[in-house]
Amino acid sequence: RATYDTEAVETKWRAVWDELEPFRAHDDSPREKKYALTMFPYPSGDLHMGHAEVTALHDVIARYWWQRGYEVLNPMGWDSFGLPAENAAIRNDAHPADYTYGNIATQLESFRRYAVSFDWSRRFNTSDPSYYRWTQWLFLKFHERGLAYRKNSPVNWCPNDQTVLANEQVVDGACERCGAEVTKRELTQWYFRTTAYAQELLDCLDDLQPTWSDKVVNAQRNWIGRSEGAHVDFVVEGREEPLTVYTTRPDTLFGATFMVVAADAALASELVADEQRQALEDYLVEVRKETEINRLATDRPKTGVFLGVHATNPLTGTRIPVYAADYVLADYGTGAIMAVPGQDQRDWDFAKAFDLPVVRTVQPPEGWEGDAFTGDGPAINSANDEIDLSGMGVAEAKSTTIAFLERRGLGRGTVNFRLRDWLLSRQRYWGAPIPIIHCPVDGEVPVPEDQLPVELPELRGADLKPKGTSPLGAATDWVNVSCPRCGGPATRDTDTMDTFVDSSWYFFRYVSPHDDTQAFDRALADEWGPVDLYVGGDEHAVLHLLYARFFTKALRDMGLVSWDEPFSAYLSQGKVINNGRKMSKSLGNGVNLGDQLAEFGVDAVRLTLVFASPPEDNIDWADVSPGGSARFLQRAWRLSGDVTSEPGTDPAGGDLALRKVTHKTLREAEVLVESHRFNVMVARTMELVNATRKAIDAGCGPADPAVREAAEAVAVLLSLVAPYTAEEMWERLGHEPTVARAGWPTVDPALLVEDSVTAVVQIQGKVKARLEVSPDIGEADLEALAMADPAVVKAVDGRPVRKVIVRAPKLVNVVV
Ligand code: ANZ
């Protein structure tokens, strides 16, 4: 049996494609444009199974769009700043660029072999000065508009990476990258004002929901965390300004029996009475050791310290004590709460620990034996001379209280978000320097645009060691500059930007990647974008995807683009696992992509990844059969050698049964690809291969034009998944390369019609006739056919017809 040598075929076609460049996206093409995007990789080592999966899936769509006649932008590049390169450089006494650019070369070679339809002419690396120049420029635009600013506050600190982290990079209290337990530090850092877009980021999720995975949309909703409540002002004895709290339950105000401020907020040390100051200091030492996750845990014993001051409950007039505790967070709401132990479990626990009074303001259900009751119920203990909530449910009591507070100037209804501003500065080397100069006279001075990029100074090896402050500080020649405003001595900002800044705008850069006059060309961005389909994992649900959305909205408001959202659709692919577990070094269950490609060939690996499951599901490599995929591809390929009719033969007179299978398969494939059910599309292709084989061996024979039509359809279908095999087939079928741009065959609707179905005609519920009709028959036509049928005419027998019920194409019910 003839087979083909995968390796020889791979080498052969790569040379042809390099020559033809079939996937170069032309800006001036008259075709309709599509933008297909998959997350660009971080250059650590060679490509792995995860890259192989995501690009195989993504490529189905990109290649399909080409076949359907679109001009497709399908770019690729590298997210090449970041810690692994820096850590490798420290280990090997080298420069991060050596590691970075070496790996990029390796990955590029692997991508080319893997035959993804990327437009390589548009590639860039975020660590190239020609790219980060524009990252810096955008930073300055944000700065200009007050969307980038510096502030001092307690921040997340990774003791292992020796750098601060954004809230989004802290997962269950640990560093998202290295897993070390995150602590808090008081530092001055740079932020992007993501909160300015909190409401819009939330609102637009409704429009994205149908084309984004629920998981990602919900994760973003929770992360943005909108809640509605009120700010309530409490008078504190001996203090001018009120102590304002944020509460989602203003209806429970009558039950506020004490107050708590965040121990580590400036507010606590402001409020504390002299005799309690030492106690607060001692307590703070303990608090700083705790992680946020522990602090918020509901099952943890409550700790705190009395601040030695009292406030007044504005509705009851009761004098209530003010505490500092760690279960209230400094950077949420106002950093202070009214504690309502009757309705809040954490307040309940605190009240029990400190022997404070509990007043229930919502009637718990009969027989309630729990602590705080957080559910709905009629209000109790909630009346004074001016306001009476008695008997109201939570919602009504809330709005009544808010209206009252507003009328009396004691508070106001408000919306609060969990989303914080994005902390973007990092104390590491391998990132884009923040283009700001600090001058003792002029303060924060932006580096003038014509001096961008601010290039990284040459540091290597031990100079890069994390010390808790930025390594750039060691490059004194670089740090010391004259102030662009006053010319006096000044210093550069020594922090670099979080690499998530680089990836928040890279999809804009692809539209004009070599433009050295602007970050990206607005007209081209509007022409190509927004991205029609973005394929990636959901580990970035609240990191990259949220940041990129924020950037897009900010750039829109700066007039740089007209998109509201960057990614019209988002497909999150599952993971490749092995033996039911995540692949990992420690488990020794890793599958090496290079080995798989060597053993089975690129096409078989790609086909396996696409065929294994719906894209969103995980693929267990222990359950799949790349060997089976390879055999199928050989079977498909053999068809092309068996066809004996000439290229261009008119299929019109060919075997009808096979033609119908071919056309039906193509139509189904359209629907399946567009709805991302790629695995089913492969299954249909396999069925078409079987039908064609049968026609050749036991049906119409290899000379029938329907066989050629079927084999060509197989080649086009396979071009989405197995580009080398498809190309070989296409050549053996007598065509010029490349099959990737051959175009989608035109589906003949006449060949999609199922021959006929049987319609039943009933009179008074009894079957009187059966008609063979087209499955597409309309109601009126079916009724006319039925009423004209001789058996029906006879049964009606001239009686007046009272009613005809038609359910096309299967039933006609006549009532006489
Ligand atoms: C009184 C009250 C009574 C509350 C009750 C809840 C239940 P979300 O929904 O997450 O916005 N809170 C406010 N600021 C806080 C902070 N900095 N740290 C910790 N907790 C804080 O939560 C809002 C509720 O969380 C607020 O409503 C407040 O407690 C608490 F029966 O006020 B509540």
Side-chain angles (χ1 to χ4, degrees):
R1 268 183 157 189
T3 57
Y4 67 87
D5 173 355
T6 52
E7 224 179 292
V9 162
E10 286 169 16
T11 318
K12 165 179 152 192
W13 289 110
R14 280 179 55 190
V16 175
W17 296 331
D18 281 351
E19 172 103 19
L20 291 177
E21 295 194 315
F23 308 116
R24 196 185 259 267
H26 298 278
D27 294 331
D28 54 3
S29 166
R31 298 150 168 259
E32 203 182 314
K33 295 192 165 71
K34 287 279 191 188
Y35 189 169
L37 186 68
T38 181
M39 289 179 181
F40 62 166
Y42 182 80
S44 52
D46 200 350
L47 299 185
H48 53 65
M49 291 302 286
H51 297 120
E53 187 202 10
V54 65
T55 48
L57 294 170
H58 162 86
D59 212 24
V60 174
I61 279 280
R63 288 171 170 272
Y64 172 75
W65 281 337
W66 278 117
Q67 295 288 30
R68 298 288 293 179
Y70 295 99
E71 190 75 15
V72 184
L73 174 57
N74 181 19
M76 191 36 117
W78 277 271
D79 189 13
S80 51
F81 270 138
L83 280 185
E86 193 167 327
N87 291 337
I90 293 164
R91 268 196 315 276
N92 306 322
D93 193 25
H95 192 275
D98 303 340
Y99 170 93
T100 304
Y101 291 91
N103 284 338
I104 287 174
T106 306
Q107 292 194 353
L108 173 63
E109 181 55 26
S110 298
F111 269 135
R112 283 180 178 275
R113 173 176 182 200
Y114 200 59
V116 192
S117 65
F118 292 131
D119 177 354
W120 288 115
S121 73
R122 291 177 185 251
R123 76 177 184 270
F124 56 74
N125 312 305
T126 58
S127 57
D128 297 342
S130 58
Y131 181 87
Y132 72 72
R133 165 184 182 179
W134 299 112
T135 308
Q136 292 173 333
W137 183 82
L138 288 169
F139 174 92
L140 291 179
K141 290 286 138 201
F142 278 73
H143 188 249
E144 212 173 278
R145 307 193 121 230
L147 288 173
Y149 68 97
R150 234 157 54 117
K151 75 168 174 198
N152 185 281
S153 71
V155 297
N156 304 305
W157 178 260
C158 173
N160 179 46
D161 292 331
Q162 293 268 303
T163 186
V164 300
L165 299 172
N167 285 348
E168 288 81 0
Q169 287 165 321
V170 182
V171 180
D172 296 336
C175 170
E176 170 252 349
R177 257 197 42 71
C178 73
E181 200 165 302
V182 170
T183 58
K184 287 272 179 184
R185 275 201 178 183
E186 187 87 22
L187 287 171
T188 300
Q189 296 290 315
W190 286 99
Y191 292 81
F192 279 140
R193 208 176 293 280
T194 39
T195 51
Y197 288 92
Q199 188 65 52
E200 196 194 336
L201 287 167
L202 185 68
D203 290 343
C204 290
L205 287 173
D206 292 340
D207 300 333
L208 296 178
Q209 183 109 44
T211 47
W212 280 43
S213 77
D214 284 349
K215 207 169 146 188
V216 172
V217 169
N218 292 335
Q220 293 214 359
R221 269 208 189 103
N222 290 336
W223 190 259
I224 297 167
R226 183 184 197 274
S227 65
E228 282 179 18
H231 280 141
V232 184
D233 302 327
F234 285 71
V235 175
V236 179
E237 286 166 15
R239 190 180 142 101
E240 281 285 321
E241 314 89 84
L243 176 53
T244 304
V245 303
Y246 172 66
T247 175
T248 45
R249 293 290 304 274
D251 60 300
T252 64
L253 183 48
F254 280 94
T257 52
F258 59 100
M259 300 183 78
V260 186
V261 299
D264 51 347
L267 197 55
S269 21
E270 240 173 70
L271 283 168
V272 70
D274 288 343
E275 69 274 13
Q276 285 296 90
R277 187 168 298 278
Q278 191 55 46
L280 175 64
E281 295 294 316
D282 295 346
Y283 179 59
L284 267 174
V285 174
E286 295 308 306
V287 171
R288 295 234 159 86
K289 289 187 193 147
E290 277 300 341
T291 61
E292 188 156 310
I293 194 97
N294 280 340
R295 290 176 51 171
L296 284 177
T298 39
D299 53 355
R300 200 168 135 263
K302 291 285 168 292
T303 60
V305 53
F306 177 48
L307 288 179
V309 291
H310 286 83
T312 307
N313 181 316
L315 296 190
T316 62
T318 316
R319 207 169 166 250
I320 59 176
V322 183
Y323 285 78
D326 65 355
Y327 79 100
V328 172
L329 300 177
D331 61 355
Y332 187 75
T334 63
I337 66 160
M338 63 182 215
V340 186
Q343 273 77 230
D344 185 289
Q345 188 60 37
R346 286 176 301 171
D347 296 346
W348 172 283
D349 294 338
F350 193 89
K352 293 295 150 191
F354 289 80
D355 203 15
L356 295 159
V358 177
V359 177
R360 290 194 191 275
T361 61
V362 177
Q363 178 67 56
E366 272 281 315
W368 173 260
E369 282 177 15
D371 305 342
F373 174 65
T374 57
D376 205 344
I380 51 170
N381 301 325
S382 298
N384 63 21
D385 293 349
E386 293 167 287
I387 173 170
D388 185 356
L389 307 175
S390 305
M392 292 182 188
V394 169
E396 191 190 357
K398 262 193 205 180
S399 50
T400 307
T401 309
I402 291 175
F404 177 78
L405 292 172
E406 287 180 347
R407 210 163 50 233
R408 299 292 307 274
L410 297 169
R412 57 246 136 238
T414 182
V415 168
N416 200 60
F417 293 94
R418 206 176 85 88
L419 183 72
R420 304 287 79 171
D421 283 341
W422 169 12
L423 196 174
L424 72 106
S425 44
R426 295 290 176 275
Q427 292 68 54
R428 297 296 301 239
Y429 173 78
W430 194 229
I434 288 174
I436 292 285
I437 290 168
H438 299 283
C439 169
V441 179
D442 293 305
E444 275 166 25
V445 183
V447 171
E449 269 180 39
D450 61 3
Q451 289 172 30
L452 297 180
V454 176
E455 285 203 45
L456 281 168
E458 271 295 313
L459 295 178
R460 51 193 305 121
D463 290 343
L464 304 176
K465 270 225 173 85
K467 325 168 191 31
T469 58
S470 178
L472 292 182
T476 41
D477 288 352
W478 180 89
V479 170
N480 294 314
V481 288
S482 38
C483 168
R485 268 195 205 140
C486 69
T491 54
R492 287 190 191 281
D493 197 293
T494 54
D495 284 353
T496 52
M497 291 187 232
D498 182 1
T499 55
F500 279 103
V501 180
D502 309 328
S503 54
S504 290
W505 74 279
Y506 79 112
F507 44 91
F508 288 112
R509 184 68 182 164
Y510 283 136
V511 306
S512 54
H514 310 300
D515 193 335
D516 58 8
T517 66
Q518 54 188 342
F520 59 91
D521 183 302
R522 179 184 169 141
L524 289 174
D526 288 344
E527 174 95 19
W528 284 109
V531 172
D532 292 285
L533 180 66
Y534 196 18
V535 184
D538 47 39
E539 66 274 19
H540 290 305
V542 292
L543 284 154
H544 167 58
L545 291 174
L546 191 66
Y547 293 151
R549 295 184 59 218
F550 159 70
F551 252 68
T552 301
K553 292 176 190 304
L555 298 191
R556 176 204 59 200
D557 290 347
M558 293 172 196
L560 294 174
V561 75
S562 67
W563 315 359
D564 288 319
E565 283 287 335
F567 315 124
S568 302
Y570 181 70
L571 173 62
S572 65
Q573 98 283 357
K575 292 191 169 50
V576 186
I577 58 173
N578 193 19
N579 290 307
R581 324 232 346 221
K582 196 173 163 219
M583 290 191 218
S584 80
K585 273 201 189 106
S586 58
L587 289 171
N589 65 343
V591 176
N592 180 278
L593 175 61
D595 295 347
Q596 298 294 312
L597 296 181
E599 186 170 351
F600 302 107
V602 168
D603 281 359
V605 171
R606 289 181 55 145
L607 185 93
T608 304
L609 288 164
V610 176
F611 183 49
S613 67
E616 297 84 354
D617 293 1
N618 286 346
I619 298 172
D620 193 330
W621 204 249
D623 295 341
V624 297
S625 167
S629 298
R631 284 190 295 280
F632 159 71
L633 290 170
Q634 297 285 355
R635 217 163 47 242
W637 171 80
R638 275 196 297 275
L639 296 179
S640 59
D642 289 352
V643 170
T644 54
S645 59
E646 287 303 309
T649 306
D650 182 4
D655 181 80
L656 193 59
L658 181 59
R659 293 205 69 204
K660 284 190 165 187
V661 177
T662 303
H663 285 254
K664 200 167 147 240
T665 304
L666 287 166
R667 175 50 45 85
E668 278 187 356
E670 293 164 11
V671 175
L672 291 165
V673 172
E674 282 164 27
S675 57
H676 309 156
R677 285 175 290 164
F678 308 141
N679 56 323
V680 187
M681 183 272 290
V682 171
R684 294 286 174 274
T685 307
M686 290 173 168
E687 287 162 21
L688 177 58
V689 168
N690 291 343
T692 314
R693 171 53 53 205
K694 230 165 110 192
I696 293 172
D697 293 348
C700 57
D704 191 288
V707 169
R708 165 169 285 279
E709 185 181 42
E712 290 184 353
V714 169
V716 172
L717 287 163
L718 281 184
S719 76
L720 312 185
V721 187
Y724 293 109
T725 309
E727 207 73 88
E728 276 294 301
M729 288 183 72
W730 199 240
E731 185 181 51
R732 298 224 306 171
L733 287 162
H735 295 292
E736 291 293 315
T738 164
V739 66
R741 296 292 305 276
W744 196 254
T746 308
V747 175
D748 181 350
L751 292 167
L752 299 176
V753 180
E754 279 180 48
D755 296 340
S756 65
V757 293
T758 306
V760 171
V761 187
Q762 295 180 335
I763 296 175
Q764 315 300 76
K766 292 209 179 76
V767 178
K768 293 293 172 190
R770 291 174 201 276
L771 310 170
E772 287 303 302
V773 298
S774 154
D776 307 324
I777 193 164
E779 313 249 290
D781 288 351
L782 181 57
E783 180 176 340
L785 268 183
M787 299 315 286
D789 184 85
V792 175
V793 173
K794 188 164 166 244
V796 171
D797 195 21
R799 285 174 292 175
V801 173
R802 292 223 315 258
K803 204 157 143 198
V804 183
I805 302 154
V806 186
R807 295 277 173 273
K810 295 238 161 112
L811 180 73
V812 181
N813 210 329
V814 184
V815 183
V816 292

